[in-house]
Structures are given as C-alpha cells and as structure tokens.
Amino acid sequence: MSDLDFNVSYASHRAPMMGRNAVATSQPLAAQAGMRMLQQGGNAVDAAIATAMALTVLEPTGNGIGSDAFAIIWDGKELHGLNASGRSPASWNAERFAGQSTMPEIGWEAVTVPGAVSAWITLAERFATLPLTTLAQPAIEYARDGFPVSPLIAHLWQRGYNKLKSQPGFTECFAPDGHPPRAGELFRNPAQAATLQKIAETNGETFYRGELAEKIVAFAGQHGAALSMADLNNHRADWVDLLSRPFANGSVQELPPNGQGIATLIALGILEQWDIGSYTPDSVPWLHLSIEAMKLALVDLDRYVTDYDHLEFPAELLLSDSYLKQRAQLINPDQAGDFTFGSPQQSGTVYLSTADASGMMVSFIQSNYMGFGSGVVVPGTGISLQNRGCGFSLDPQHPNVVAGSKRPFHTIIPAFALDAAGQPLMSFGVMGGPMQAQGHLQLALRIMQHKQNPQAAIDAPRWRVEQGRAVVVEPGIDRNVLAKLREMGHQITVEDPLQSYNFGGAQAIVRDPQGFYIAATESRKDGQALVF
C-alpha cells in the first residue's frame, strides 16, 4: 500500500486519480488523445506523442509545431533523457544584435530551429508501437473539425493577440475573423491539420528537409531572417545522460543544461544540509529555508548555465557534496539573504506525463516559450515559431552569449524521481518559465519528503522567488507565517488569484508499489488526469 498521505489536502475540487494506465496534462481533450492511444494498445510513449501533438492545436497559447521539447522516459528498466531543443541559425553572432541591450523577444530575430517535431519522431522511432499517422490522428481531427476554446485559453489568446497581432502570419492564423476566439467558440485550423498530416506521413522529413522546410526558409528570407535550409537539415535531437541528486530516500532526475533543471537539484542538495524533513510543511522555517536554497540555486543558474557544449566546467561540479555544503552555510536561519554565484571549481509551456500497465513512464514538456512565442506563423501551415533566441545573453563574457549553431538557455524541464531501489517513483513537471525549477523543488519536497499525495502537493499554495529578496506567493499561506517571513527580511507579495497562471500548471503521476498509478493535475487550470 502507498505511504502517501491522502488525508492532507488544500483548496481544490479534485481528488487524485488511480489506475493501471494514466495520462495527465494541461488540456482535457489532449489528455483524451493520449488515452485513446493506450486504449488502442499503445504504450506510454505512444500516448505522450499523441498528447503532445494534440496540445499544439488545443493550447496554442503555450506551444506549437514550432516549439522545442524535452523528455525523460522510463522504458521499464532504465531512464533515458532526450534534448530536442533547437540551435540558433549558424550565421548568428553578437554583431548581429549590436546596439541592443537584450535579445529580441518577438519576430524573426527571436526564432531558433524548432525541435518539437524531432522529439516526436525520435521518441516514436525508438519506443512507439503505433504508427505516427495513428498518433497524429486526434490532433488532426481537432485542427480540422475544431474544438471549443476554454475560458482560460481564450484569456491567454487575447493577451497574445494584443502583443503579437502585427507579427508576420499571426493574425491570419490565430485571428482569422479579425479577433481571437472567445470562450466557448469553436476554433478550426485546417492548415495545421494538413501540416500534421504531412509530418506524420513523412516521419518528419518534410519539416526538416522537405516541403514544409522550404516554406519556413522562404518566409524567413522574405523578412531578412537568418534561418536557412542548412540550419533545419542539421538539426538533431540528442539522447543525454541525466543529472541526479539523492533526496528523501530516493533521487530526483533532471536533464542537464541547457535547461534549468540543475537548479532544482542544487536547491534540494542545500536543503538536505539543513535537514529540511524535520520541519513542518508550510511552517516559517520550512518556507524560509526553501526560499533561501532556491535563491542560491538561481544565482548559480543565471551565471553558469548554457548549451552543454559551451559550459565553463562540468555541470556535476555544481552538485558536489562539498560545494552544496559550502553554499548551505551561507543561509542565515533567521534572516533573508542576498546571494551571488559561487565558485564550484574551487572546492544552471505545456507539460504532460503518461504511464502504462507495462511500467513505462514518460515525462514530456514542449513550449514556444513566451505564450505564442515569436508571433511568427508560416502562412498556410499553422506553424507558429518559438522565441527561444531571447534566452541568449549579449554579454560577451557570459557562457550563454549568442553565437551560431548554439542552444540557448532553456526554461522548460521535465522531471522524474526514483525510489531507494532505483525504481520509478514519479514523473512530474511544472509549467511557467522561471517557475519550473522552483515548482519541481516544491513538489519533490511535498511528495518525496513529506509524503503528501500528488493532488494535495499540486494544490498547495506555491511561492516564486524573483529578484533580490522579492518573493511572490499564492493566496492560502497563513497570514501569520507571511508576517514572520516579512520580519525576516523577505519582501512578500501575495498575488491576485486571477493571475495564478504565473505560478504554472503542474502534473504528476506517482507509481504505487502495488503496480498502479496515482495521477494528479492542476486544479487552478484546465488540466485533466485520466486513468483506466
């Protein structure tokens, strides 16, 4: 029997779902797409691919065909990490952006090579059991026949339209009637349906080397952008070794840089130095130590993390016991601190999770980055392109400085946890830019350290470290606790519940020792967990 506590709960309308097969993601129709594959005899990877493809249609406010993606897969025996993020155009360099203080956030100058399609193909080739044309079918149907837009997505769509309506191809695709769809309206995207069909029929070749690639590059040329056929031709998704940190009689697994998952591991390692498990969840010392550990992790993340091939030193040095002990000693248990990065050489969206009865589990994330991304949509294709280029630095001394054929710093990260025996404990993820590593920390603390059931852990009020001592919290944390944290020097802001999407959605699937799964998803959002 699971040792998770099902008595603990926070304000929610949901209970965790239990079954031998599970799909959890941010959009109910997308969850149904994944479940269709499992019911047709597919495995967890089949379900993940179908769900991911459907999300590009159903939640264009967070991802699209032109997104990047990352995944962690438990194949029944071992873990595999996949980095399918794209690189910058080969001709990019610092001189191209001379005179600018930061990288562009919108338009073609923010566009890097899209990697999500390569994630679907690479996963399918290695692990899937159903044809790609079958996996794509739900997404194609939603795009061709239409789907009702939910209130939250309609709100985010309007925000995206206000910001991006003048970008090339955006209004034609996402506001064909001159305005974005309103809540409850049926939205169709036949061009995207045709594109998904071509991708499935050609096993992705059309996207990187064929007709769709030619359309992307031709549109780039019309706008003076640098993206070339060679850039698309040379793209590859990479299988990578995971970074790991022991925690709470198990371990947390994250992908290595260029993502921010290492920040979660740094913070967890620091908290173990403080015996975080001895404190009550949501208490003053528990929150104070967690916030301080995260602040220490984030300053290292900001200073050191870049494309794995451009790191100044091995990422593992940031996770060494000696370094984490040194960093933990900087925390004052009674006072909020201001931290700078350390020197380890002397001792840095939509999410889905699937699981099947055979034991296979998938933690998968894909994103355009800022909402609709760059705002650029290739005409007649439904391909909205990400704005990951703005993740680069323009500081020539920074390892993440912009350069050609280089992966930028990434915010999107899937996560996984193993138990003490090295068997899968859970796949989990939190969406929302810089919230993701912080959300991973908070879920790991609650589920692994304090045995909260996954729905309670997801429903619990979250906090978010910003600049300096600034900490934004969700409503629900005891006001006396907040008062004490303020006395300790934390600059606490309670965010309006209507802005709760700034804390990111979350999904988790926990494996029970008896062989079934416990799935949970964000009660603040539209997400859904399905099991059978």
Side-chain angles (χ1 to χ4, degrees):
M1 183 65 180
S2 171
D3 59 356
L4 296 174
D5 186 352
F6 290 97
N7 294 311
V8 65
S9 64
Y10 298 86
S12 174
H13 299 292
R14 291 185 177 151
M17 305 296 290
M18 303 181 190
R20 295 192 179 277
N21 299 270
V23 177
T25 194
S26 55
Q27 214 282 350
L29 295 178
Q32 292 176 33
M35 190 56 67
R36 275 174 59 178
M37 300 304 114
L38 291 169
Q39 291 172 331
Q40 291 178 35
N43 62 25
V45 168
D46 292 309
I49 296 169
T51 303
M53 296 178 84
L55 282 166
T56 68
V57 178
L58 299 165
E59 202 169 328
T61 54
N63 77 131
I65 296 174
S67 287
D68 272 351
F70 298 81
I72 301 174
I73 305 95
W74 175 265
D75 67 3
K77 296 181 180 179
E78 60 181 340
L79 284 172
H80 306 269
L82 182 68
N83 182 336
S85 62
R87 295 166 176 82
S88 57
S91 62
W92 272 18
N93 53 41
E95 288 71 32
R96 185 179 183 91
F97 303 96
Q100 301 185 50
S101 58
T102 59
M103 290 288 293
E105 287 188 1
I106 61 176
W108 270 109
E109 292 301 276
V111 175
T112 52
V113 174
V117 172
S118 72
W120 309 338
I121 304 306
T122 303
L123 287 171
E125 289 177 342
R126 186 165 184 177
F127 294 114
T129 61
L130 298 175
L132 195 60
T133 49
T134 300
L135 304 182
Q137 197 56 40
I140 293 169
E141 291 172 2
Y142 292 138
R144 182 192 63 214
D145 302 331
F147 66 95
V149 177
S150 69
L152 175 60
I153 297 301
H155 171 70
L156 296 175
W157 209 313
Q158 180 68 57
R159 285 181 60 194
Y161 173 78
N162 293 343
K163 177 181 179 181
L164 301 168
K165 58 187 174 183
S166 63
Q167 292 305 311
F170 184 87
T171 297
E172 174 190 347
C173 180
F174 292 119
D177 297 326
H179 62 82
R182 301 178 179 90
E185 288 186 357
L186 205 65
F187 183 79
R188 296 181 176 87
N189 195 335
Q192 188 172 2
T195 289
L196 289 166
Q197 186 73 48
K198 291 172 184 175
I199 289 170
E201 290 174 349
T202 66
N203 208 36
E205 282 295 301
T206 183
F207 192 82
Y208 293 106
R209 280 164 280 279
E211 175 189 351
L212 291 176
E214 292 170 355
K215 289 183 177 181
I216 295 170
V217 171
F219 197 48
Q222 290 176 28
H223 294 274
L227 192 68
S228 69
M229 280 297 289
D231 293 323
L232 292 173
N233 292 169
N234 293 333
H235 172 75
R236 67 184 187 279
D238 297 323
W239 294 105
V240 297
D241 295 329
L242 295 165
L243 295 177
S244 177
R245 179 71 201 173
F247 182 71
N249 200 33
S251 65
V252 176
Q253 313 286 325
E254 297 276 0
L255 291 169
N258 53 320
Q260 64 172 319
I262 193 171
T264 299
L265 303 181
I266 293 171
L268 289 173
I270 290 171
L271 288 175
E272 286 226 309
Q273 308 295 322
W274 280 91
D275 191 20
I276 191 65
S278 65
Y279 299 97
T280 303
D282 305 304
S283 65
V284 171
W286 188 84
L287 284 165
H288 170 69
L289 292 171
S290 299
I291 290 167
E292 295 297 279
M294 198 72 243
K295 285 159 63 176
L296 283 162
L298 290 175
V299 292
D300 277 351
L301 180 78
D302 184 63
R303 170 60 182 85
Y304 294 118
V305 171
T306 183
D307 186 338
Y308 193 85
D309 294 335
H310 295 263
L311 291 172
E312 296 179 10
F313 50 79
E316 289 80 1
L317 288 180
L318 291 166
L319 301 176
S320 69
D321 289 338
S322 60
Y323 181 65
L324 294 174
K325 183 176 182 179
Q326 168 196 330
R327 299 295 278 168
Q329 291 172 350
L330 298 175
I331 295 177
N332 182 332
D334 302 312
Q335 184 70 36
D338 298 308
F339 304 115
T340 186
F341 55 86
S343 299
Q345 297 182 88
Q346 298 176 2
S347 28
T349 306
V350 292
Y351 174 79
L352 65 96
S353 182
T354 61
D356 65 37
S358 76
M360 179 177 279
M361 299 178 71
V362 179
S363 182
F364 184 100
I365 197 162
Q366 68 186 19
S367 171
N368 273 347
Y369 191 27
M370 296 180 180
F372 284 94
S374 66
V376 175
V377 184
V378 182
T381 69
I383 299 172
S384 58
L385 295 167
Q386 62 189 16
N387 64 329
R388 283 292 169 185
C390 71
F392 282 118
S393 170
L394 290 176
D395 178 357
Q397 304 304 315
H398 198 286
N400 189 44
V401 65
V402 65
S405 301
K406 182 178 180 180
R407 282 174 163 149
F409 168 77
H410 248 280
T411 56
I412 62 172
I413 47 172
F416 209 92
L418 301 177
D419 63 19
Q423 295 300 301
L425 174 64
M426 67 172 171
S427 56
F428 65 108
V430 177
M431 297 164 277
M435 182 65 212
Q436 293 180 49
Q438 304 188 51
H440 286 193
L441 171 75
Q442 292 170 58
L443 288 187
L445 279 171
R446 293 183 179 280
I447 297 173
M448 297 178 70
Q449 185 74 69
H450 299 290
K451 305 302 181 183
Q452 293 185 356
N453 75 76
Q455 191 64 59
I458 287 172
D459 292 338
R462 291 200 274 272
W463 48 265
R464 185 178 74 246
V465 170
E466 297 197 332
Q467 294 295 321
R469 300 186 183 192
V471 182
V472 184
V473 302
E474 286 188 298
I477 297 177
D478 185 272
R479 64 181 182 179
N480 294 318
V481 169
L482 295 181
K484 180 60 178 177
L485 290 172
R486 289 188 176 105
E487 289 178 12
M488 298 169 75
H490 295 284
Q491 296 169 2
I492 302 290
T493 301
V494 180
E495 194 159 86
D496 187 327
L498 295 178
Q499 304 299 316
S500 63
Y501 49 77
N502 290 331
F503 289 92
Q507 283 82 37
I509 297 178
V510 175
R511 181 181 178 274
D512 188 275
Q514 298 174 94
F516 64 86
Y517 300 104
I518 305 162
T521 189
E522 190 63 58
S523 60
R524 305 162 179 83
K525 313 294 190 298
D526 297 328
Q528 185 171 18
L530 298 175
V531 298
F532 77 90

